[in-house]
Amino acid sequence: MANHLRFVGRTVMVQNGNVEAAYGVLNRILAQDGVAEAVRRSRYYEKPSRARRRRAFEACRRVYCGEMGRRIAFLARSSRQDPWLGC
């Protein structure tokens, strides 16, 4: 079990007895994985219509963020030619 990739990815080492820093790192890892939001969401009943709306919103946000990231990467690439050579 200790060699499992997800287990190793969520393992936090405490250095010099600094538990507070390790706790912050663990919280950041769990927030990136969405574990805290899933626990918070499952704490109360969510109506099916609201769950559908939430899932649709999350899907739209994923598409929008992916598209905007692609556009920003396209504009920020370093190998593109200068569009206004004579100016």
Side-chain angles (χ1 to χ4, degrees), residues 47-78:
K47 292 174 62 174
S49 60
R50 290 187 65 93
R52 277 193 305 270
R53 281 194 343 199
R54 179 184 49 80
R55 286 194 304 265
F57 175 76
E58 290 171 354
C60 289
R61 190 175 65 196
R62 269 193 309 274
V63 169
Y64 176 79
C65 290
E67 181 66 19
M68 288 305 290
R70 189 183 67 78
R71 288 181 181 188
I72 290 171
F74 177 75
L75 292 175
R77 70 188 192 279
S78 61

Side-chain angles (χ1 to χ4, degrees), residues 11 16-17 22 29 35 41-42 46-47 64-66 75 77 79:
T11 301
N16 300 328
I29 289 171
V35 174
R41 202 177 321 116
S42 67
E46 185 177 21
K47 292 174 62 174
Y64 176 79
C65 290
L75 292 175
R77 70 188 192 279
S79 63

